[in-house]
Amino acid sequence: ALAERYHQRFEQIGSEVDARSVRSWQAMLRLRLGEAVRIYNASLPIRKLFLGSHTTRELVQSEAGFNELIARRMLVFYGRFFHMPRIGDSERKFLVMLTLVDAVWGLSFTKHRTITPEFEEEALAVAIAYCRTFLPETIEVRDPPLDETAAPVR
């Protein structure tokens, strides 16, 4: 129940994006991951629950399911703002990216009890580097972006 309540905070990430300020998928990723870091760093219980090493099997399974949901939503979200290319097995690729980011943030929590700016940058670098294995460097921006109900699913 506690994890579900915290998941709601993460589900809101990107809900108030100013599309005019984000002109690349890399900048969008920076924005979204930065919002997640702010949520984590604002609450020690959230950091302990999701980034700590003493989590229950049920929480690990719940988190895996939640990351799958976030990966699907990220694809839809990116489709609103960019003319996304067709990506084979796109949900799995976004899920791998999120898992890599979580690992870097978890390391930061283990060492510092918070996500430091240095580890925030490391996680972003990992995410961008991995995404470059399946995304082109430049993706055309939708102007104006699609509304939430019209976003294409890839």
Side-chain angles (χ1 to χ4, degrees):
L2 183 61
E4 290 173 11
R5 193 173 77 224
Y6 291 148
H7 280 162
Q8 291 174 352
R9 292 186 191 177
F10 290 101
E11 288 180 35
Q12 299 303 312
I13 290 176
S15 61
E16 300 191 20
V17 170
D18 177 9
R20 293 172 300 278
S21 69
V22 179
R23 305 312 292 172
S24 71
W25 64 263
Q26 299 90 334
M28 181 72 76
L29 196 53
R30 175 181 289 281
L31 178 80
R32 290 180 64 95
L33 294 180
E35 286 184 46
V37 167
R38 282 186 285 289
I39 291 169
Y40 275 126
N41 282 345
S43 171
L44 181 58
I46 290 177
R47 290 193 307 277
K48 283 182 177 180
L49 188 62
F50 295 121
L51 301 177
S53 60
H54 302 294
T55 56
T56 66
R57 179 139 187 83
E58 293 80 20
L59 180 61
V60 170
Q61 290 172 336
S62 170
E63 185 66 3
F66 182 69
N67 278 349
E68 288 175 3
L69 173 69
I70 293 299
R72 283 191 299 275
R73 287 185 177 173
M74 281 185 81
L75 284 167
V76 171
F77 186 85
Y78 273 73
R80 286 181 53 213
F81 292 94
F82 300 97
H83 292 279
M84 293 295 286
R86 183 153 309 279
I87 304 165
D89 208 5
S90 56
E91 284 183 26
R92 181 185 56 82
K93 289 177 179 172
F94 271 79
L95 177 60
V96 168
M97 182 269 298
L98 291 171
T99 303
L100 292 168
V101 166
D102 279 349
V104 174
W105 290 343
L107 179 59
S108 184
F109 177 74
T110 298
K111 294 176 88 44
H112 305 288
R113 306 289 285 170
T114 191
I115 300 172
T116 66
E118 295 79 15
F119 275 96
E120 180 179 1
E121 285 300 314
E122 290 292 338
L124 178 64
V126 165
I128 290 172
Y130 178 72
C131 287
R132 283 179 173 147
T133 68
F134 59 89
L135 288 177
E137 192 64 25
T138 303
I139 301 175
E140 184 181 352
V141 175
R142 290 187 188 274
D143 196 16
L146 298 175
D147 70 29
E148 290 182 44
T149 59
V153 178
R154 298 261 179 213

